[in-house]
Amino acid sequence: MHGKSQRKEMECSVLSDPRNAALIVRLHFHDCFIQGCDGSILLDDTYTLKGEKKAATNIHSLKGFEVIDKIKNFVESECPGIVSCADILTIAARDAVILVGGPYWDVPVGRKDSVTASFELANTNLPTPDESLVSIIPKFFYQGLSVTDMVALVGSHTIGMARCQNFRSRIYGDYESTSVKNPISDNQLNNLKSICPPIGGGDNNITAMDYVTPNLFDNSFYQLLLQGEGVLNSDQEMYSSVFGIQTRELVKKYAADSLAFFQQFSDSMVKMGNITNSESFVTGEVRKNCRFVNT
């Protein structure tokens, strides 16, 4: 029963604001890359616990916690103490993708919620928008994910928004040299510059990473990379970097074949969702409230 109510909550949330889909997928990704998919990202700071929400990679970019709270409350009222927050987040990410037109996949469940969080790992394990391909790939390898997984998972940017602070260096840097010179791409660059001034603020202004179909989960994100119009340095590098021999071929493949992208994305999401926190097998629990460890 709780599967149905959880989906309903997610549905209402995405219908009220399609951006919520991207936020939940992102939350799940940030959770899994910090000590495994254990719900550690959901913990609020307390006197005794320093959470991950205020780490540099998270502080301005993570939202959607209320969506998870709502789902959790619903699930707890139906069947208390059964479904972990980590499982809820993993299932919500899958449902979010479906709701914006993406593929379905089966989510293995049985995760436990951690009783710890790691502010330090949040600052070191997560890829950042201005990192080079050469330093991002090892971060995926470290999690047991391949280059193929990486290129497919980044495809979730087809529904995401980027903050000016994270694309400023790109639009005032090599955007012109990567993009195909045509009126549409020039127009897009001017548009980005109007959202994000070179200096003097606007850090939190946002823009869609896929301006063609911002609220639809499809492969147009990769088509934009072929045109050199990736909003983030880290995204465009997959196609434009001299080191991106393997990544470039994958970008071309997914740009040409949305089914291949959907299949790989599903497989890679399952793989990512299976990154475990071995410690929480022993000490883990099913939190009553996703923001706090049970007392």
Side-chain angles (χ1 to χ4, degrees):
M1 170 62 214
H2 59 256
K4 203 175 279 157
S5 56
Q6 163 152 3
R7 204 162 319 131
K8 193 88 209 128
E9 277 298 342
M10 199 60 229
E11 207 171 314
C12 294
S13 160
V14 170
L15 288 172
S16 70
D17 181 0
R19 191 184 173 203
N20 282 331
L23 296 175
I24 295 300
V25 173
R26 177 125 194 237
L27 213 46
H28 175 47
F29 166 65
H30 282 228
D31 185 33
C32 295
F33 267 55
I34 308 168
Q35 61 177 42
C37 313
D38 59 359
S40 62
I41 196 82
L42 303 171
L43 290 168
D44 280 350
D45 289 3
T46 63
Y47 282 125
T48 51
L49 182 140
K50 187 176 194 183
E52 297 159 5
K53 293 181 179 179
K54 294 197 172 88
T57 38
N58 293 336
I59 189 158
H60 296 297
S61 62
L62 290 188
K63 295 185 173 69
F65 295 107
E66 298 74 20
V67 177
I68 299 301
D69 291 336
K70 266 192 177 146
I71 297 173
K72 179 63 178 172
N73 289 341
F74 207 101
V75 173
E76 281 302 299
S77 65
E78 300 275 316
C79 24
I82 307 283
V83 192
S84 67
C85 297
D87 275 351
I88 285 176
L89 183 51
T90 312
I91 297 162
R94 189 271 317 269
D95 291 345
V97 169
I98 297 170
L99 288 165
V100 285
Y104 170 89
W105 62 93
D106 277 320
V107 174
V109 291
R111 293 166 195 77
K112 285 274 190 275
D113 293 325
S114 69
V115 291
T116 61
S118 178
F119 181 82
E120 293 72 32
L121 289 180
N123 280 325
T124 53
N125 284 11
L126 287 158
T128 62
D130 283 325
E131 247 179 299
S132 70
L133 193 63
V134 180
S135 68
I136 288 179
I137 290 174
K139 291 188 173 182
F140 280 81
F141 283 169
Y142 177 74
Q143 303 291 355
L145 298 168
S146 67
V147 170
T148 306
D149 292 320
M150 179 191 82
V151 178
L153 290 168
V154 173
S156 57
H157 285 173
T158 176
I159 52 168
M161 304 292 260
R163 291 170 56 241
C164 161
Q165 190 184 353
N166 291 333
F167 65 84
R168 181 179 279 127
S169 62
R170 164 95 175 113
I171 60 172
Y172 295 102
D174 60 0
Y175 193 101
E176 290 208 45
S177 60
T178 59
S179 66
V180 189
K181 291 285 167 284
N182 66 29
I184 297 172
S185 109
D186 289 346
N187 192 18
Q188 174 57 5
L189 181 56
N190 291 335
N191 182 29
L192 290 172
K193 286 181 172 173
S194 71
I195 293 169
C196 186
I199 41 172
D203 281 6
N204 292 323
N205 295 351
I206 55 172
T207 189
M209 289 184 268
D210 165 9
Y211 70 88
V212 184
T213 50
N215 294 328
L216 189 63
F217 195 98
D218 57 13
N219 66 336
S220 61
F221 166 76
Y222 296 104
Q223 293 161 1
L224 288 172
L225 296 184
L226 297 189
Q227 294 165 32
E229 293 185 53
V231 173
L232 300 179
N233 274 316
S234 53
D235 289 350
Q236 191 59 46
E237 281 243 306
M238 296 192 304
Y239 183 70
S240 303
S241 166
V242 286
F243 301 107
I245 299 141
Q246 191 184 350
T247 56
R248 188 176 312 124
E249 288 314 306
L250 288 162
V251 168
K252 284 185 196 160
K253 178 180 172 179
Y254 301 147
D257 184 351
S258 64
L259 190 63
F261 165 47
F262 274 26
Q263 280 171 335
Q264 186 57 56
F265 184 79
S266 302
D267 291 348
S268 297
M269 282 297 279
V270 171
K271 216 166 137 184
M272 182 178 87
N274 287 342
I275 300 171
T276 49
N277 174 348
S278 48
E279 203 178 287
S280 65
F281 276 129
V282 188
T283 59
E285 58 184 20
V286 172
R287 279 182 220 145
K288 292 186 185 68
N289 175 336
C290 292
R291 293 170 182 268
F292 303 101
V293 172
N294 295 344
T295 45

